[in-house]
Amino acid sequence: MRFGGPPSGFYPTILPDGGRNIMSDDAAFYRNRAIVERTNSEAATLQNVKDRCDRAASTWEQMAVRAERTQVMRAQREGAKTSAEPARDMADAEMAEESAGA
């Protein structure tokens, strides 16, 4: 009999996305972890284990939402940088023309 951990086979060894098991800020990774925790909750027989797995699934979902929000904000920031660079280049060119003409 094993002590100190979950029963053998309690946690799936393969994630729903086919085995990708790396930590990242990828929302899909977080959602897959939430699925794993929900599966663990369904397989658990003790109420405290079910509750823990449900809390973990909820936390993983919240992390996925934050990761998606971060990706959107990053894309917006990158888009703002990209659109600001040509305007800055045009302003620099106009200044160069003015100083060359003076």
Side-chain angles (χ1 to χ4, degrees), residues 2 14 20 24-25 31 39 41 51 56 59 73 75 96 98 100:
R2 289 182 42 193
I14 298 176
R20 190 175 133 224
S24 69
D25 64 345
R31 293 209 191 282
T39 302
S41 175
D51 293 343
T59 301
M73 289 173 22
E98 288 176 6

Side-chain angles (χ1 to χ4, degrees), residues 54-76:
D54 289 339
R55 283 192 310 271
S58 175
T59 301
W60 283 113
E61 282 293 334
Q62 291 171 5
M63 291 171 65
V65 169
R66 275 184 287 203
E68 289 169 343
R69 186 173 52 229
T70 300
Q71 289 171 349
V72 168
M73 289 173 22
R74 185 178 297 136
Q76 289 173 346

Side-chain angles (χ1 to χ4, degrees), residues 15-36:
L15 294 176
D17 66 352
R20 190 175 133 224
N21 194 12
I22 58 170
M23 184 64 178
S24 69
D25 64 345
D26 186 20
F29 172 81
Y30 297 138
R31 293 209 191 282
N32 285 337
R33 290 301 307 163
I35 291 168
V36 169

